[in-house]
């Protein structure tokens, strides 16, 4: 018998959802989403392994490649595009490959998820130092299967993020992260629970990887890119929080560092020159390590 993923089965809790008042419809939908978050939480062990292995690869110059189609792929694109503005990482550090390319991203009628050869071709730029993360709720999307097969052949670390414990693609992954979300509130609509779990997992994965890379200071986003006035003020507030200095001092330090928050923070915490701060940050991953190398003590 053909394998039927849990996400494609009928949910006994929502069988009469079309007969309910709006408040009850919403209650059921949100209750199912809460189950999705718990399913993501249950995957913490394998997700932590993926974070640790990815950190090692990135420290050696590797990159992260996401591969997905449909709702799963769109969430991967969203996650990847937020890495640079949030953490100041190079734009090529996280790359999302979507079945069918940019046009398919905004036009769901261009459906290339069954194109395994396309997945393999899109994985052509993946190297042995890299990490390939396949995202597929069903665990069987041909585009993702092709990409994982190609990435594995290249020697990359392969990770599968899925909502099916018996995912057919699991044999192609070195690490399998399963959020067992079960049947959707609307049968087969993986933009719902599976999408929620996928977003939670990808957010947690990329954020933890960036934290381990030293791109935060405590829970402060010291790598954020100040592309507008709101973010520029957020940067000043961040420096105030981190150092206890007044806003004027922090604003001046940020200006002297040409808007580079880590440099301004290291200078404020140690009293060193801009040149020494930049040198320490080049040699050591993150503000804490740079401050320690300069003989200071981060708070």
């Amino acid at each position: 018998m053909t394998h039927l993923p849990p996400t494609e089965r009928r949910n006994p809790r929502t069988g009469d959802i079309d007969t309910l008042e709006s408040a009850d419809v919403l209650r059921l939908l949100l209750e199912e989403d809460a189950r999705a978050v718990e399913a993501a939480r249950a995957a913490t062990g394998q997700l932590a392994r993926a974070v640790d292995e990815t950190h090692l690869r990135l420290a050696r110059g590797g990159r992260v490649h996401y591969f997905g189609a449909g709702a799963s792929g769109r969430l991967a694109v969203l996650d990847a595009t937020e890495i640079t503005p949030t953490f100041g990482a190079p734009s090529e550090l996280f790359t999302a490959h979507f079945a069918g390319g940019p046009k398919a991203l905004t036009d769901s009628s261009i459906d290339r998820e069954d194109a395994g050869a396309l997945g393999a071709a899109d994985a052509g730029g993946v190297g042995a130092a890299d990490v390939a993360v396949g995202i597929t709720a069903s665990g069987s999307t041909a585009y993702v299967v092709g990409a994982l097969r190609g990435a594995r052949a290249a020697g990359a670390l392969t990770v599968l993020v899925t909502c099916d414990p018996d995912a057919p693609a699991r044999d192609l992954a070195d690490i399998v992260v399963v959020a067992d979300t079960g049947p959707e509130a609307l049968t087969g609509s993986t933009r719902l629970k599976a999408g929620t779990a996928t977003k939670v997992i990808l957010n947690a994965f990329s954020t933890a990887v960036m934290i381990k890379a030293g791109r935060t200071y405590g829970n402060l986003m010291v790598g954020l890119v100040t592309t507008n006035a709101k973010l520029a003020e957020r940067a000043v507030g961040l420096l105030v929080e981190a150092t206890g200095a007044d806003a004027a001092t922090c604003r001046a330090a940020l200006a002297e560092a040409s808007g580079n928050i880590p440099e301004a923070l290291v200078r404020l915490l140690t009293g060193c020159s801009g040149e020494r701060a930049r040198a320490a940050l080049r040699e050591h991953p993150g503000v804490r390590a740079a401050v320690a190398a300069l003989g200071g003590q981060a708070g």
Side-chain angles (χ1 to χ4, degrees):
M1 190 172 81
T2 303
H3 173 65
L4 186 66
T7 54
E8 298 296 323
R9 299 170 192 167
R10 195 167 184 189
N11 191 328
R13 293 181 293 274
T14 59
D16 62 350
I17 196 169
D18 62 326
T19 69
L20 304 178
E21 296 294 331
S22 296
D24 290 323
V25 169
L26 293 169
R27 175 181 55 78
L28 282 177
L29 291 174
L30 295 173
E31 284 177 355
E32 293 299 308
D33 260 2
R35 293 173 186 269
V37 174
E38 287 305 311
R41 190 200 303 269
T44 298
Q46 287 302 93
L47 188 57
R49 184 179 164 213
V51 168
D52 290 340
E53 293 293 330
T54 298
H55 173 63
L56 293 176
R57 297 270 176 148
L58 266 55
R60 296 195 293 265
R63 300 182 299 161
V64 175
H65 296 263
Y66 288 154
F67 295 92
S72 297
R74 289 183 176 89
L75 289 167
V77 171
L78 175 63
D79 192 72
T81 55
E82 290 292 333
I83 300 301
T84 294
T86 304
F87 300 105
S91 59
E92 66 273 11
L93 191 63
F94 277 70
T95 301
H97 305 268
F98 186 80
K103 287 187 177 180
L105 186 63
T106 56
D107 183 354
S108 59
S109 69
I110 305 174
D111 187 351
R112 301 299 306 278
E113 70 174 63
D114 292 334
L118 178 60
D122 284 354
V126 176
D130 295 339
V131 179
V133 183
I135 303 104
T136 163
S138 68
S140 61
T141 302
Y143 174 81
V144 174
V145 169
L148 288 177
R149 185 173 287 121
R152 169 167 274 191
L157 175 73
T158 54
V159 179
L160 175 66
V161 175
T162 183
C163 295
D164 184 359
D166 299 313
R170 65 182 302 131
D171 290 342
L172 294 171
D174 299 307
I175 302 172
V176 182
V177 180
V178 180
D180 187 3
T181 54
E184 293 287 358
L186 297 180
T187 307
S189 182
T190 53
R191 60 184 281 273
L192 298 174
K193 273 199 302 188
T196 297
T198 297
K199 186 176 190 304
V200 168
I201 285 171
L202 292 179
N203 280 171
F205 169 74
S206 60
T207 301
V209 167
M210 291 293 93
I211 289 171
K212 288 186 71 68
R215 291 188 175 274
T216 66
Y217 179 72
N219 62 357
L220 299 174
M221 297 189 298
V222 295
L224 74 86
V225 180
T226 55
T227 54
N228 56 50
K230 179 189 77 173
L231 292 177
E233 283 306 303
R234 180 182 293 174
V236 172
L238 181 155
L239 292 173
V240 171
E241 286 282 344
T243 67
D246 60 67
T249 299
C250 292
R251 189 173 286 107
L254 193 60
E256 290 170 7
S258 300
N260 186 295
I261 299 170
E263 179 186 331
L265 183 51
V266 170
R267 291 177 68 177
L268 286 166
L269 290 171
T270 65
C272 74
S273 67
E275 183 178 353
R276 289 193 67 201
R278 289 189 293 272
L281 286 165
R282 280 195 300 270
E283 295 175 17
H284 305 279
V287 170
R288 286 189 190 278
V291 170
L294 290 167
Q297 184 173 358

